Amino acid sequence: MIELVIAMVVLAIGLGGTMIMISGSITSNNRNKTDTTATTLSEAIMERIIAAGVGATATFTMSDCSGATNSILIDPTGSTAGRGAAVDATTGNISFTTAASPTSGYTATYVTCGVNGSQATYDVRWRVVNTQASGTAVYAKMVTVSAR
């Protein structure tokens, strides 16, 4: 009888540890899915900007699953200082703080639709900087895109 009680305690401890591990795996998997979607959105906007060409000043649109259409602007002023989302001076990353709101047209709220009507909303921001300019010609652009 004592052996049976000890075996049940050992089994309970083992199953408890397994449940904690499974719960952690589910949480990690969901976080990875969200990160992958944010990366894919950033890449999609980056591809649209690259496809426009180095000297382009244009506006594109991108629709999400909710039916909303977002405008994607590409440095309409031709400024060598750049236009768009603010960049953190320390890290060089796009800033998502409320004090660092991007120039109008350089941010998009993108909604993805999942199973059973679930939706996830992403804040996508980008910045375009002309890195070499001669008169009115632009030879290179640096594009920074981020989503969360």
Side-chain angles (χ1 to χ4, degrees):
M1 190 67 153
I2 294 174
E3 286 182 15
L4 185 59
V5 171
I6 291 172
M8 289 177 67
V9 168
V10 170
L11 181 63
I13 291 171
L15 288 176
T18 303
M19 292 307 294
I20 291 170
M21 185 176 64
I22 290 172
S23 174
S25 296
I26 291 170
T27 302
S28 178
N29 187 41
N30 192 30
R31 184 175 49 246
N32 290 339
K33 177 184 171 187
T34 303
D35 290 348
T36 300
T37 303
T39 301
T40 303
L41 286 171
S42 296
E43 288 175 352
I45 290 179
M46 178 74 76
E47 290 296 324
R48 297 292 295 270
I49 293 171
I50 289 171
V54 174
T57 57
T59 302
F60 298 97
T61 59
M62 188 170 164
S63 299
D64 62 18
C65 78
S66 71
T69 301
N70 295 295
S71 294
I72 300 170
L73 295 181
I74 303 174
D75 204 17
T77 63
S79 168
T80 55
R83 293 279 310 249
V87 176
D88 185 295
T90 307
T91 64
N93 297 330
I94 297 288
S95 177
F96 283 93
T97 63
T98 54
S101 58
T103 306
S104 178
Y106 288 86
T107 182
T109 301
Y110 192 89
V111 179
T112 61
C113 295
V115 295
N116 299 327
S118 65
Q119 293 185 336
T121 303
Y122 294 87
D123 182 5
V124 186
R125 297 181 182 194
W126 57 95
R127 180 171 187 79
V128 182
V129 178
N130 295 336
T131 57
Q132 294 178 344
S134 175
T136 59
V138 177
Y139 300 107
K141 285 187 179 180
M142 179 177 69
V143 180
T144 307
V145 183
S146 187
R148 68 171 190 163

